[in-house]
Amino acid sequence: MKPVLENLFYYLDNFHRVLEWIGERYADLLDSEERGFIDRFPALPRASRALFVRMVMRKGQLFRASKLVYEEIGCARAAAGPLAEAGWIVVDPAVSLDELFDLLQKPELCQAFGLAGALRAARKEAQLEALRADHGGERAFSAWWQDIAARDEAYRIVAKPLCDRLRLIFFGNYHQDWTEFVLSDLGVFRFEQVEISEAARGFRTRRDIDDYLQLHACRERFGNGEAPLDVLRDVPPPGTGNEWLASRRHKLLFQMGQHLEKLREWAGACAVYDDCAYPGARARAIRVLEKDEQFGAAWERLRVAMAAPESDAERQHLLRMAPRLARRLGHPRSAAGKPVPPARLDLALPRPDGQWWVEGVVRDHLNRDEAPVFYVENALINSLFGLLCWDAVFAAIPGAFFHPFHHGPADLHSADFHRRRAAQFDACLAQLDDGSYHATIRRNLDAKRGISSPFVFWGALDETLLDLALHCIPPAHLKQAFLRILQDIKANRTGFPDLIQFWPAERRYNMIEVKGPGDRLQDNQLRWIDYCAQHRMPVTVCYLQWAPQ
């Protein structure tokens, strides 16, 4: 049985919470339309307010009264009146033929246009194409089919963009919406309760809001296939020092640079990357210069980057480019140190019948009562990190949390994420030195169970796995893994080996990366394997082949 909320006006109450939150924290940044809406909306009749929120939460801007049937609202026509007087909806709006086809069902369209024969039986898409030539322009909904005017009416919610702006101001993004409240009320999502100071605002100036809206519009245009250089002209310049807003700008620029690379527009791609601080942009710019056969310029940039790589990922890319560029320029070949190869296990097993997956086949083959094997991939080490460092991850740093529905800090992928919380992370990791980390991890496992975290995989972490991990993995190894995660959270949360095997009697473990026939190690996996080898953390790469039948 699906969970049900007893309060039928739960969505309206949640909408009011958003308006109150915005009014309290962002009053100085709102324009006259936004302030006017927040002031006037509570004065409307409850049924009208509820109808408005129902329309806001649904897709599109056009609705029919006959489709807005809600027990708690009653007559939609009566509720719509005050909304029309406020100017937030239009009753009987002008609609195009395409919009009319979205509003009416096929039998209604056949009646309205007197369709007969093959056209009556055709699909709606074909009917639309057949009628489009003779029915251009817009007209009132009721004018398209006068018979419907007596029993139904249509509404266009013209305040939808305004509500989208208010949603943006509250959440700080467009990917979260009103369902966050519902899922939270139903217990589907639980969020850490962080103390949010009055100074912790996602938007600090009105320009921040306007820049985000402009960035979003540019992202939509780019996603719809518009030429990146045309879109680029409208990307707002670097703004007011808002880090998370700047990161969104850099991400869009990086995506545009990648697209320009595909188009072989080298000059444009390089210019975009030069204006971009997104991870990997510097290495991509060097690669673009190489593709454009500007080998000297590429070499000079590579030397600068190699002196201070931004991450292990960048260093890996630079090391691949360096020999090619050196050869092009006639430089002597340098002796590059090769990483220590990991232990290797070759298996030839019969292909199983029925449903199977490669990692599961190897797991079941290696599993022993005295040495159990678990499929963990990125879940185990990340979860242990998240549980030990819970207080640091959810520290009330200004600008990290600015509404109650954060799945993680807003600056999680910022370059200074660790630096801004250095004292808190140092305190957490120090527990690996004094042995108190066991108690902290277990305490947070119980106290925070089910609360959204960017690191903890609740569904993958059971008591048996946790007990074995804490018993068999040395704290020094955990510390090395956690430090690497903190070096580059976006890149280093992935790439962990697929399996882990424990020998509890000997208090040791082994991580196992599984590769099936034709599969190869990915870059992030190679970086983790190399790191583990440097710090003597046991890793084996298992290559599986199917034995002849």
Side-chain angles (χ1 to χ4, degrees):
M1 180 180 296
K2 294 182 178 180
V4 177
L5 293 171
E6 294 181 2
N7 175 17
L8 295 179
F9 288 96
Y10 66 90
Y11 55 92
L12 178 58
D13 292 347
N14 290 335
F15 192 78
H16 277 292
R17 284 172 59 192
V18 170
L19 298 186
E20 291 167 4
W21 181 281
I22 293 173
E24 291 172 359
R25 287 167 174 79
Y26 291 99
D28 59 316
L29 305 188
L30 303 179
D31 64 22
S32 58
E33 183 185 24
E34 293 154 359
R35 283 193 297 268
F37 180 85
I38 291 174
D39 292 340
R40 295 167 57 199
F41 184 76
L44 266 64
R46 184 165 72 165
S48 299
R49 286 179 280 133
L51 180 66
F52 180 83
V53 177
R54 285 290 194 184
M55 288 192 284
V56 166
M57 295 178 68
R58 288 170 63 166
K59 292 182 179 180
Q61 296 186 358
L62 288 168
F63 304 95
R64 291 171 59 177
S66 61
K67 304 298 181 182
L68 297 170
V69 180
Y70 299 101
E71 173 188 351
E72 75 279 8
I73 293 176
C75 177
R77 289 192 173 196
L83 298 175
E85 293 175 9
W88 297 332
I89 70 169
V90 174
V91 179
D92 197 24
V95 297
S96 66
L97 182 68
D98 290 67
E99 291 174 324
L100 183 71
F101 264 68
D102 288 335
L103 284 169
L104 298 183
Q105 296 177 337
K106 185 176 176 180
E108 294 174 321
L109 290 166
C110 292
Q111 280 188 273
F113 291 98
L115 302 182
L119 190 55
R120 184 183 186 89
R123 298 174 62 184
K124 282 183 71 173
E125 294 81 359
Q127 293 174 338
L128 176 60
E129 287 301 320
L131 294 170
R132 183 171 282 142
D134 297 326
H135 297 279
E138 294 182 343
R139 65 186 75 174
F141 172 74
S142 59
W144 284 100
W145 183 25
Q146 294 183 354
D147 289 350
I148 202 171
R151 62 178 185 270
D152 204 355
E153 64 183 9
Y155 312 119
R156 185 187 297 275
I157 177 169
V158 294
K160 190 74 171 283
L162 164 64
C163 292
D164 286 341
R165 283 205 310 278
L166 294 173
R167 174 166 62 89
L168 167 67
I169 293 170
F170 179 78
F171 285 113
N173 59 67
Y174 270 129
H175 66 261
Q176 287 181 286
D177 58 28
W178 313 107
T179 59
E180 297 282 353
F181 289 89
V182 182
L183 295 174
S184 177
D185 290 341
L186 292 173
V188 176
F189 289 146
R190 294 174 58 208
F191 302 92
E192 178 70 353
Q193 299 304 301
V194 180
E195 181 181 349
I196 303 174
S197 68
E198 290 295 325
R201 305 196 297 182
F203 299 103
R204 301 165 193 168
T205 66
R206 183 67 203 191
R207 180 182 169 182
D208 284 349
I209 298 174
D210 294 338
D211 280 356
Y212 192 108
L213 292 169
Q214 191 173 344
L215 266 177
H216 181 73
C218 290
R219 189 181 299 112
E220 293 282 296
R221 290 165 57 192
F222 176 62
N224 291 331
E226 190 170 337
L229 291 178
D230 292 340
V231 178
L232 189 63
R233 297 188 187 97
D234 295 325
V235 172
T240 57
N242 188 319
E243 295 85 359
W244 66 267
L245 183 57
S247 70
R248 282 159 172 75
R249 178 181 181 275
H250 292 311
K251 183 176 181 179
L252 177 59
L253 291 177
F254 187 78
Q255 292 170 339
M256 289 183 174
Q258 288 180 306
H259 190 72
L260 288 167
E261 273 195 75
K262 293 178 182 177
L263 299 176
R264 302 180 67 82
E265 295 186 18
W266 309 128
C270 195
V272 170
Y273 287 137
D274 285 344
D275 187 35
C276 177
Y278 194 75
R282 181 168 64 168
R284 292 310 315 166
I286 297 171
R287 180 66 175 135
V288 166
L289 290 172
E290 182 186 10
K291 291 179 179 178
D292 197 25
E293 299 185 352
Q294 298 186 49
F295 304 119
W299 178 257
E300 291 305 316
R301 291 196 185 202
L302 183 138
R303 290 178 58 195
V304 172
M306 283 296 294
E310 67 181 21
S311 64
D312 287 345
E314 186 187 55
R315 181 175 180 274
Q316 185 181 48
H317 295 156
L318 296 175
L319 287 172
R320 287 177 177 165
M321 286 188 283
R324 296 196 306 266
L325 288 172
R327 187 170 60 251
R328 287 282 190 175
L329 295 169
H331 295 325
R333 186 174 181 179
S334 60
K338 292 186 177 180
V340 178
R344 175 174 179 136
L345 173 64
D346 290 287
L347 292 178
L349 301 177
R351 187 190 296 269
D353 297 327
Q355 293 184 346
W356 52 270
W357 44 297
V358 170
E359 295 84 357
V361 170
V362 174
R363 178 199 60 190
D364 295 343
H365 174 76
L366 297 177
N367 189 67
R368 302 287 185 272
D369 290 342
E370 70 279 7
V373 183
F374 296 83
Y375 175 74
V376 293
E377 199 175 16
N378 301 313
L380 177 59
I381 300 299
N382 274 302
S383 294
L384 293 174
F385 169 82
L387 291 171
L388 177 64
C389 300
W390 190 280
D391 292 345
V393 171
F394 289 98
I397 300 295
F401 300 95
F402 38 88
H403 62 74
F405 300 96
H406 277 287
H407 295 272
D411 64 337
L412 182 66
H413 295 151
S414 298
D416 60 351
F417 174 80
H418 182 196
R419 181 187 59 78
R420 297 182 69 209
R421 301 160 175 82
Q424 291 91 332
F425 277 114
D426 287 347
C428 293
L429 297 183
Q431 298 175 65
L432 293 162
D433 300 324
D434 63 24
S436 59
Y437 69 100
H438 278 239
T440 298
I441 288 175
R442 293 185 184 280
R443 181 175 63 251
N444 284 334
L445 180 71
D446 293 334
K448 307 297 184 180
R449 190 182 298 275
I451 295 178
S452 294
S453 163
F455 296 101
V456 181
F457 294 69
W458 294 110
L461 199 65
D462 60 30
E463 293 289 345
T464 300
L465 176 59
L466 180 67
D467 289 345
L468 286 167
L470 293 179
H471 180 71
C472 296
I473 304 177
H477 290 187
L478 290 176
K479 190 169 188 176
Q480 292 298 338
F482 296 169
L483 287 171
R484 186 169 190 271
I485 290 174
L486 285 171
Q487 287 175 11
D488 187 344
I489 289 174
K490 184 177 178 61
N492 294 344
R493 277 193 299 173
T494 61
F496 291 93
D498 300 306
L499 309 177
I500 190 166
Q501 186 166 22
F502 300 107
W503 287 266
E506 304 169 40
R507 298 198 69 169
R508 67 182 180 91
Y509 73 104
N510 186 37
M511 295 178 286
I512 306 166
E513 177 62 35
V514 178
K515 291 300 170 190
D519 201 0
R520 64 181 182 84
L521 291 168
Q522 303 300 310
D523 282 350
N524 59 346
Q525 296 170 339
L526 287 167
R527 293 194 295 270
W528 262 113
I529 289 171
D530 185 39
Y531 183 84
C532 289
Q534 293 175 33
H535 296 280
R536 298 185 178 182
M537 300 161 65
V539 177
T540 297
V541 179
C542 174
Y543 292 93
L544 173 65
Q545 299 294 330
W546 300 122
Q549 296 296 320

